[in-house]
Amino acid sequence: MTTTDTRAAAADLPIVRGRTETWRLFLPQTVIQTRRLLLRWWRDPLTLVQSLVFPALLLIVLNTVLGKQVSTFSGASALYGSVPMVALVGVMSGSLASAITLGRERDQGLLARLWVLPVHRASGLASRILAEGARILLCTTVLFAVGVLLGFRFEQGVLAGIALFGVPLLYGLGFATLVTAVAVFSAKAALVEAVSLGSSIMMFFSTGFVPLTAYPRWAQPIVAHQPMTYAIDAMRGLSLGGPVRTALLATVAWSVGAIVVFAVPAAVGYRRASRR
């Protein structure tokens, strides 16, 4: 293309007057990008399988294989531990799938193309937070519905049931912040896979898998004080009944702590990935 052709093409482009990165446009631009992410995740088989299909099948298998034994050992239905645990597994699996998608968008140059568009720069990261929240609530609703079909019940009333949905939401946002920071700073999927392995180990060493007293003595302090156990115990208390305050405060501390520690690295890494 010659210089004359370039100037002629540029003359046909619309003239943008004033600032394009304004807070007035931040909200509608964030909504548009959130919709884009949700549609992409919905059409991505990996995200659907890891967020919904695998956790639902895992819940059914756990209830079929271990449900009766755990119920007899603990004196209460095993579903009040396995349903919260699998809901958290779905939250974490979906966040890992989203991190892989984010890495693909970075490698394909999509983040860089979005960065140079006349949109507010903060809308990209804000849209991911909103999309994560929507995905977490959807996955939690689906897995609780499967749990209800198996016998899970909200024994503590409507308000406790609403609060029950807030636990995986807060936990999931903290975990998603950590995974996003890992994904934007690493060009390798190995680190994301390492986080996936760690989350699987957390599942097997939590009170949602078997009661705390079923673990060896050396493992009980580790199981009792890991973040997933606190979230499961809080959700068990909000559904079946029992102490909630300590477990809920610990879940808030773990989740907010993860957000505070990894939010700045995630934002800095997202900016760096968008300018590659």
Side-chain angles (χ1 to χ4, degrees), residues 196-276:
S196 176
L197 177 61
S199 63
S200 299
I201 294 174
M202 288 171 61
M203 179 189 74
F204 290 111
F205 284 86
S206 72
T207 55
F209 190 69
V210 294
L212 181 62
T213 54
Y215 289 95
R217 284 187 173 273
W218 62 266
Q220 288 182 12
I222 301 174
V223 174
H225 299 294
Q226 63 118 322
M228 197 171 182
T229 288
Y230 282 125
I232 292 169
D233 290 345
M235 296 168 75
R236 180 188 286 113
L238 290 169
S239 57
L240 178 62
V244 174
R245 181 178 179 181
T246 300
L248 188 58
L249 290 177
T251 302
V252 172
W254 273 106
S255 303
V256 174
I259 293 173
V260 170
V261 171
F262 293 102
V264 173
V268 172
Y270 186 84
R271 179 184 178 89
R272 180 183 298 177
S274 299
R275 299 176 69 180
R276 289 183 57 182

Side-chain angles (χ1 to χ4, degrees), residues 1-13:
M1 181 179 289
T2 64
T3 304
T4 304
D5 294 335
T6 303
R7 290 176 179 175
D12 294 335
L13 295 175

